[in-house]
Amino acid sequence: MAWGPTRNPWNTDRSAGGSSGGSAAAVAAGMVPIAHASDGGGSIRIPSSSCGLVGLKPSQGRITMGPNRDESNLGVDLGVSRTVRDTAGLLDAVRGPGVGDTVIAAPPIRPYAQEVGADPGSLRIGVVTQHPLAQAENLTAAKNAGALLESLGHHVEDSFPSALIDPKFREFFAVMWGTNMAVNLARAAETLGRELTEDEVEPLNWALAASARQHSAVDYAQGLAMNGLFRRAVYQWWADGFDLLVTPTMAAPPPPIGTFAHDPANPIAPLMTAGKYVPFTPPFNTTGQPAISLPLHWTPDGLPIGVQFVAAYGREDLLLRVASQLEQAAPWASRRPPL
């Protein structure tokens, strides 16, 4: 990190999350009302959870990734903000396909801003209430969100897509993640007009790219095939009658600064540590579904805990309606960091 760690405005001894942590810290601190963020494995939702913000990961193909990136991959772009209305307005401003896009989400029937305050109706909602990696405080946040939704007239039950706990998911996600890193470094080298050197790249990213180069084209193709099978298995839960899934956004509160420090003896160690904090976000980069983190819970010592809401593909409208309903029932925008 060229400029040192990005600190959390709620507690500067804690991380702001990543990888869009700078954007989230700036919005939480009041420097700007809204900031760009990208999400290839949770990097809109994770810093939103850490910094007490609204963070929507849109559907794959909702916003063009052109001219240089591919909508069919893991990453999407949008931003972080304090309110559902700001997030809806941003989505209206940037949504839509670009020239050459082949993955295109169906356009909304009306502007997303009009979903703010709209009645979502009575929904069938599943909640994750247990997970081997999740700390009690984060599970409590999800359970409390479920109770609040039930009080608002929704049908809530303990349920989630069983594919989410398939151990094979981490394997093929890792192959795709590492390959994307290798491609990113190659593009950086092309921009510079020379090969990158190891001392110019964060050790973890250098190690991921090196690992990816050991995989064959067949390995990557198998990862894509597994991706498709996983996506269909997860979608089936929605096809069977559920409208929303509720999970903790992260498995633990914002970690202390230094938790992901580079280990010269094991450069992959920070990634393995990160996996323990974020089991809930990467699956929905793989499926391409929209997911939003809302700041519905704080620890006793004042750290934000986000709750993730996931809808069927293309249903940002439903997410925004429910998010707006929860924002009215449990307002958060007036809560500010103590600094």
Side-chain angles (χ1 to χ4, degrees), residues 126-185:
V127 182
V128 172
T129 60
Q130 297 182 37
H131 192 278
L133 295 179
Q135 294 188 14
E137 196 74 40
N138 295 67
L139 289 172
T140 295
K143 292 174 186 177
N144 288 350
L148 179 57
L149 287 164
E150 196 163 40
S151 75
L152 294 170
H154 302 291
H155 175 76
V156 178
E157 55 189 284
D158 288 359
S159 182
F160 62 90
S162 59
L164 294 179
I165 56 175
D166 185 342
K168 294 180 181 177
F169 169 74
R170 292 184 66 176
E171 297 176 16
F172 72 80
F173 187 87
V175 170
M176 297 179 68
W177 187 268
T179 302
N180 288 343
M181 181 57 64
V183 171
N184 288 338
L185 295 190

Side-chain angles (χ1 to χ4, degrees), residues 36-106:
H36 167 255
S38 60
D39 194 316
S43 297
I44 290 174
R45 293 158 288 161
I46 295 163
S48 294
S49 176
S50 297
C51 294
L53 302 175
V54 176
L56 171 64
K57 182 199 85 68
S59 296
Q60 189 180 62
R62 174 65 63 206
I63 301 167
T64 183
M65 300 298 286
N68 296 320
R69 297 172 64 192
D70 182 6
E71 293 74 30
S72 68
N73 213 309
L74 300 172
V76 295
D77 283 280
L78 193 59
V80 293
S81 75
R82 289 188 182 280
T83 68
V84 176
R85 183 174 297 278
D86 282 352
T87 290
L90 178 61
L91 186 57
D92 278 326
V94 301
R95 70 169 179 84
V99 175
D101 290 3
T102 57
V103 179
I104 302 173

Side-chain angles (χ1 to χ4, degrees), residues 62 92 95 105-112 115 314 317:
R62 174 65 63 206
D92 278 326
R95 70 169 179 84
I109 60 173
R110 59 184 179 179
Y112 287 112
E115 305 299 346
D317 57 338

Side-chain angles (χ1 to χ4, degrees), residues 123-126 155 157 235-244:
L123 305 176
R124 186 183 181 195
I125 300 172
H155 175 76
E157 55 189 284
Y235 279 22
Q236 188 62 51
W237 185 82
W238 273 265
D240 288 341
F242 284 90
D243 298 297
L244 286 181

